[in-house]
Amino acid sequence: MVVPRGSHNLDGSTADSTAAGRVTGSPLSASAWRNRVVFPLGFQSVAQSCPIGNAEERLVGSETATEAVTAWQPALCGLGTTYGFSQIGDGEAANQIVSEVDGSSRLALVTSPLAKAVAAEHTIRYAPVAQSAVVVAFTIDYRLYPDAPAKVRDGLQALDLTLDARLVAKLLTQSYQADVPGRGSGNTTLQGNAASLVTDPEFLALNPTFVGSKSDTAPAGLMVALGNADANGRVWSWLRSDPVAAAFLDGRPDEWGDADQPGVPVAGARHRHECGQLPEGRPDHREGR
């Protein structure tokens, strides 16, 4: 159940008129309670969905397919085979397809075909199973100073977010002070960068409702998919294809002086031999750094 209260208190005053700077009062009061929204919940059976004694087939693969496979498993059991799914990295899934080790799965869900070197001397068949896409999911609450232009949003959840390629590159390379232990103390590059995403002028130009955010408000970088996911390689290919993001990754500061950290391992980086353009441990081509 949700009791929406908007941006006004129960007495009609605005949220920013209170000392707390947010909506106050009980949601159980009559005027608020009558606007409640009820979401009926149902529960799935916890009974065994696959009969004991079914033939079993090992299935391994990408994290992006986990929810889909979980939904398919009960229906597939009715066909006489139980498909047990193990979520592993794309690289290991590809290796298991061609592995000669007993117990290795010969059935895997991958997001890119196997490299020619891995698939050599093997006949591999591919079949489309599901569609997926790379997305950036977020959950950020506004934490604004009292004089912020959008101060009425303080404490509310942000519903919209605009990111460009360079902002994603900054997050993946931990280029904000809040993204590293000690907030970059002793690191001259980080000390000249924005404290966090929500204080970066580039981000604020695209998301003006965050102007006036408190400096300790920040998503701590980006979490990436399990293992050396092919999805990570696609993200880095996108960043490298964008001239502004590529320049940042090559060490060129942005218009406000923020720069990439040299020599720091990167979230979700892929090896050169896996995607053809990323050197070991870094998604760029800088030499001697």
Side-chain angles (χ1 to χ4, degrees), residues 67-106:
E67 294 297 326
V69 174
T70 301
W72 298 335
Q73 282 173 321
L76 292 173
C77 287
L79 302 178
T81 300
T82 297
Y83 290 87
F85 181 69
S86 298
Q87 177 182 299
I88 61 177
D90 288 323
E92 178 58 26
N95 289 335
Q96 289 214 20
I97 293 176
V98 298
S99 175
E100 302 297 336
V101 177
D102 290 342
S104 296
S105 175
R106 305 295 188 271

Side-chain angles (χ1 to χ4, degrees), residues 174 177-185 190:
Q174 299 177 322
Q177 297 176 27
D179 292 345
V180 297
R183 299 182 70 85
S185 177
L190 275 181

Side-chain angles (χ1 to χ4, degrees), residues 45-79:
S45 172
V46 296
Q48 181 71 31
S49 58
C50 295
I52 297 176
N54 256 12
E56 295 188 17
E57 180 70 47
R58 285 196 63 216
L59 178 62
V60 300
S62 174
E63 178 182 9
T64 57
T66 300
E67 294 297 326
V69 174
T70 301
W72 298 335
Q73 282 173 321
L76 292 173
C77 287
L79 302 178

Side-chain angles (χ1 to χ4, degrees), residues 145-212:
Y145 285 108
D147 59 350
K151 57 187 176 181
V152 295
R153 299 185 183 222
D154 186 44
L156 302 179
Q157 185 178 29
L159 301 179
D160 299 290
L161 201 69
T162 301
L163 298 175
D164 59 23
R166 185 165 60 185
L167 287 172
V168 174
K170 291 178 180 179
L171 288 166
L172 289 175
T173 55
Q174 299 177 322
S175 294
Y176 296 113
Q177 297 176 27
D179 292 345
V180 297
R183 299 182 70 85
S185 177
N187 185 314
T188 55
T189 299
L190 275 181
Q191 288 301 300
N193 289 357
S196 68
L197 175 69
V198 296
T199 61
D200 185 339
E202 180 176 6
F203 175 80
L204 295 177
L206 296 173
N207 303 271
T209 56
F210 282 90
V211 172

Side-chain angles (χ1 to χ4, degrees), residues 7 9-10 16 20 22 32 41 44 57 62 83 111 128 143 153 176 221 235 245 248 263 271 283 289:
S7 58
N9 298 309
L10 298 177
D16 59 352
R22 56 180 173 80
L41 300 178
Q44 292 183 335
E57 180 70 47
S62 174
Y83 290 87
T111 53
R143 296 191 68 244
R153 299 185 183 222
Y176 296 113
V235 170
F248 179 81
H271 299 306
R289 300 192 68 176

